[in-house]
Amino acid sequence: MDIQQNYFAFLGLPESYDVDLKALAARSHELQKTLHPDRFAHLSEREKRLSVQYTAYLNEAVATLKFPLGRAQYLLHLQGIDTISEASVQLEPAFLFEQMALRDDLEDIKVMSSPEAALDKFMDGVAQQLSEYQRTFAECYAVGDSESLERAAAVVRKMQFMVKLQKEIELVESELD
């Protein structure tokens, strides 16, 4: 095992945005059994420490590759593109205004007399938009030239906003329950 490898190589998966989640889970389970620190309890301190490091790296790899946003960010990171820092990609003002409007709409839903149906519809719209961003990212990333990768980075920033909005929706949903 080599934790200097990227997550895809470490897990023996092709480096792609389209990850077979069943293959990811199966490979993760297989490696968990092989690398688990309990299997190294009778060995040297160095081997125990390596087991812990490998297991931590495995858990980090799976957590990153399991979700579309993390996977997209990681793929761009491998290309030398930062999408994590706030200043990494400038978004057009129209998108930012749209985000403010969506959050205002969510606040309006919270005070409705019967908000459940409106919240479900709102949630579906956000999920649909996020799916569209994921599709666009996959297309841009597949092209792979510098211009397409920059477009992919801008799409990832939009995905970040939508994932955050989904979490806000889930909070509202739990408040209503």
Side-chain angles (χ1 to χ4, degrees), residues 32-122:
Q32 283 285 359
K33 287 193 294 187
T34 303
L35 299 173
H36 196 278
D38 289 347
R39 294 182 57 105
F40 294 82
H42 65 285
L43 299 176
S44 71
E45 288 303 314
R46 179 184 181 280
E47 289 169 309
K48 290 178 196 174
R49 188 176 60 252
L50 285 173
S51 170
V52 169
Q53 288 175 339
Y54 291 149
T55 301
Y57 192 73
L58 172 62
N59 291 338
E60 184 180 318
V62 171
T64 299
L65 300 183
K66 188 176 182 178
F67 298 103
L69 176 59
R71 190 167 52 245
Q73 290 171 318
Y74 186 70
L75 284 166
L76 290 176
H77 167 75
L78 293 176
Q79 298 294 323
I81 299 172
D82 172 31
T83 59
I84 305 294
S85 71
E86 292 293 320
S88 62
V89 176
Q90 297 298 318
L91 295 172
E92 60 270 7
F95 174 80
L96 297 173
F97 284 124
E98 178 184 311
Q99 290 303 302
M100 291 184 344
L102 286 170
R103 279 158 176 80
D104 287 344
D105 292 347
L106 183 57
E107 287 299 316
D108 292 345
I109 290 171
K110 287 166 67 171
V111 297
M112 290 180 172
S113 60
S114 182
E116 291 81 9
L119 187 62
D120 287 343
K121 184 177 178 182
F122 186 76

Side-chain angles (χ1 to χ4, degrees), residues 116-136:
E116 291 81 9
L119 187 62
D120 287 343
K121 184 177 178 182
F122 186 76
M123 192 180 321
D124 289 345
V126 170
Q128 185 177 12
Q129 183 61 58
L130 184 56
S131 291
E132 180 63 26
Y133 288 144
Q134 291 168 354
R135 185 191 60 72
T136 302

